[in-house]
Amino acid sequence: MTRMAPLRDPDITRQRILGVAAEEFHLRGYKATSLSDILTRAEVSKGALYHHFPNKQELGYAVLEEAYINDCMSMWRQAMAQDDIIKSLGDMLEEMRSHCVNEDVMKQGCPVNNIAQEMTAQDAGFQQRISAMYTTQAKLVEEALNRSIAAGYIRDDIDPEGVALFIISCLPGMMGIVKATRSKKDLEKMHQGLLNYLETLRAGT
């Protein structure tokens, strides 16, 4: 019989449940993960889980927002805070490339991308949250492009809104292909192709 961890701090318990659920959803997929799997790994009682999350759907929404989207948006906000968006995007892409060459990462894919593909056609709550994330990403990139244009880093004849949408669409596509092919060569080619595209935006090109 599994010994349940003492519930001294509800916030710690909630974060433990979220952390385990985030790992399990990423590894197995949302549908294939049972609440029993999460309870066993988190070493909490069913009552403790339901105290924080009334059902699996609400737990899924919390994982999506507080773990997956929060981590993703933190990376984007940091990159988009710079004036030279081409350099900051290049640095972000290099960090992602270095992370994604790991075999386990290629196999498991991007957690946001995975749950988007699995659940957006079936659950309005997932669809709305992921749609809002992409809308926010696109706005961040568009604003950063406009700042870079004003600072003279980027050509002033581009369509910032269209370029922003194109850029944010590339990363889920890249991650989806890498998860399917598990090819480091494909990853390197897509990474370099996007870097080459970004350079065409530079002022004076």
Side-chain angles (χ1 to χ4, degrees), residues 158-172:
I158 70 165
D159 170 21
E161 182 181 9
V163 170
L165 287 169
F166 174 72
I167 290 170
I168 69 163
S169 73
C170 287
L171 272 65

Side-chain angles (χ1 to χ4, degrees), residues 22-29 33 41 68 108 114:
E23 292 177 2
E24 290 293 314
F25 292 159
H26 190 194
L27 180 64
R28 303 169 185 257
T33 300
R41 273 202 57 200
Y68 299 164
Q108 294 175 17
N114 291 352

Side-chain angles (χ1 to χ4, degrees), residues 10-203:
D11 290 337
I12 292 175
T13 300
R14 185 178 187 279
Q15 289 305 311
R16 184 162 65 247
I17 294 169
L18 274 177
V20 169
E23 292 177 2
E24 290 293 314
F25 292 159
H26 190 194
L27 180 64
R28 303 169 185 257
Y30 173 79
K31 292 181 185 176
T33 300
S34 70
L35 291 180
S36 295
D37 296 329
I38 295 167
L39 290 172
T40 299
R41 273 202 57 200
E43 296 186 312
V44 298
S45 68
K46 187 179 292 186
L49 187 147
Y50 286 126
H51 172 74
H52 296 287
F53 309 102
N55 51 51
K56 182 181 176 183
Q57 183 185 52
E58 291 299 324
L59 174 58
Y61 293 161
V63 166
L64 176 62
E65 292 181 316
E66 298 178 40
Y68 299 164
I69 290 178
N70 186 56
D71 286 350
C72 179
M73 291 308 300
S74 176
M75 176 182 67
W76 279 93
R77 287 193 176 94
Q78 182 177 358
M80 295 306 100
Q82 310 304 314
D83 284 336
D84 185 352
I85 188 177
I86 296 176
K87 182 180 184 306
S88 59
L89 275 171
D91 291 344
M92 186 181 79
L93 287 168
E94 176 56 30
E95 184 177 345
M96 291 177 63
R97 186 201 64 79
S98 299
H99 178 64
C100 292
V101 293
N102 180 282
E103 296 286 349
D104 289 337
V105 174
M106 285 198 290
K107 180 179 178 181
Q108 294 175 17
C110 168
V112 175
N113 207 26
N114 291 352
I115 207 163
Q117 292 180 347
E118 183 181 11
M119 297 303 299
T120 51
Q122 302 182 38
D123 186 289
F126 283 105
Q127 185 273 325
Q128 290 163 5
R129 286 165 173 80
I130 292 169
S131 175
M133 182 200 73
Y134 285 132
T135 298
T136 302
Q137 275 185 8
K139 192 63 177 177
L140 282 172
V141 178
E142 182 182 354
E143 290 171 352
L145 285 166
N146 281 317
R147 287 200 313 275
S148 287
I149 291 170
Y153 291 109
I154 288 181
R155 302 188 340 245
D156 61 6
D157 61 342
I158 70 165
D159 170 21
E161 182 181 9
V163 170
L165 287 169
F166 174 72
I167 290 170
I168 69 163
S169 73
C170 287
L171 272 65
M174 290 169 61
M175 291 304 299
I177 290 172
V178 169
K179 183 180 179 182
T181 64
R182 300 181 192 176
S183 167
K184 293 180 182 179
K185 181 179 178 181
D186 288 348
L187 174 62
E188 297 291 348
K189 284 185 174 295
M190 290 184 289
H191 172 259
Q192 190 58 53
L194 185 50
L195 290 178
N196 291 345
Y197 166 75
L198 292 174
E199 286 298 327
T200 70
L201 304 177
R202 281 203 180 277

